[in-house]
């Protein structure tokens, strides 16, 4: 099986934005949003989402805003209810 908490970003993930890393990160982001849904309706500040996802990941690989954006892009097949919304500034 695949451990979504143990993935690492490889060459294809970095250059093309494809691969197992972003698929697994997408699952982690969705999981964090679902776990916090009772508190915030599943809407998280992007940096708060990064911090919560980092807590669930094994290893010390850093993830950033671009990684989260690419990962959430992998979830577009789930419909309009899943995505990044920009508010404010």
């Amino acid at each position: 099986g695949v451990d979504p908490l143990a993935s690492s970003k490889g060459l294809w993930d970095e250059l093309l934005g494809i691969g197992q890393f972003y698929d697994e990160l997408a699952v982690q982001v969705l999981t964090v949003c679902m776990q916090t849904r009772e508190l915030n309706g599943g809407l998280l500040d992007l940096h708060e989402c990064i911090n919560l996802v980092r807590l669930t990941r094994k290893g010390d690989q850093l993830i950033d805003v671009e990684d989260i954006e690419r990962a959430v892009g992998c979830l577009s097949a789930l419909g309009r209810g899943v995505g990044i919304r920009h508010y404010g500034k």
Side-chain angles (χ1 to χ4, degrees), residues 3-89:
D3 182 355
L5 302 180
S7 67
S8 62
K9 192 177 351 177
L11 177 64
W12 295 115
D13 297 298
E14 188 68 35
L15 293 178
L16 301 176
I18 59 172
Q20 187 174 357
F21 173 79
Y22 289 107
D23 291 339
E24 293 174 354
L25 183 58
V27 170
Q28 294 167 351
V29 169
L30 191 56
T31 300
V32 165
C33 290
M34 290 172 59
Q35 289 173 339
T36 61
R37 191 173 187 174
E38 290 292 320
L39 300 171
N40 55 27
L43 300 174
L44 289 171
D45 174 77
L46 200 50
H47 295 286
E48 181 181 0
C49 180
I50 290 170
N51 290 334
L52 292 172
V53 168
R54 284 180 182 161
L55 292 174
T56 67
R57 295 181 61 81
K58 295 179 182 175
D60 59 354
Q61 184 172 25
L62 294 178
I63 56 170
D64 58 24
V65 171
E66 289 179 5
D67 291 327
I68 297 292
E69 289 173 341
R70 285 185 185 178
V72 171
C74 295
L75 299 171
S76 62
L78 297 178
R80 292 181 28 189
V82 178
I84 295 178
R85 308 288 185 259
H86 298 278
Y87 295 99
K89 299 179 184 179

